Amino acid sequence: MAKNSIKITTEFIKLDALLKFASLVGSGGEAKNLIQDGQVLVNGEVCTMRGKKIRPGDTVSLDGDEVTVE
């Protein structure tokens, strides 16, 4: 499992944008499909909301890769 941290300069980042920003997906469409299919975990729980606000301290997981937002 690869663990990374991503620093954001805003109050939050939307889940689909974070997946692209962290290079976990190649496109917004891919992010949308993975999220809708229930393959993305936010803080250890399945999240199917593309626009979920991810804030510093949150952890997002996909296919064994984990990103923590700072």
Side-chain angles (χ1 to χ4, degrees), residues 12-20 25 27-40 42 46-54 60:
F12 64 86
I13 184 170
K14 290 188 178 175
L15 180 57
D16 56 351
L18 174 69
L19 293 177
K20 281 186 3 189
V25 297
S27 69
E30 184 182 355
K32 174 184 163 189
N33 291 335
L34 291 170
I35 294 166
Q36 286 179 338
D37 288 348
Q39 296 184 44
V40 179
V42 176
V46 172
C47 180
T48 56
M49 297 176 359
R50 268 176 40 209
K52 170 136 181 88
K53 294 176 180 175
I54 306 300
V60 175

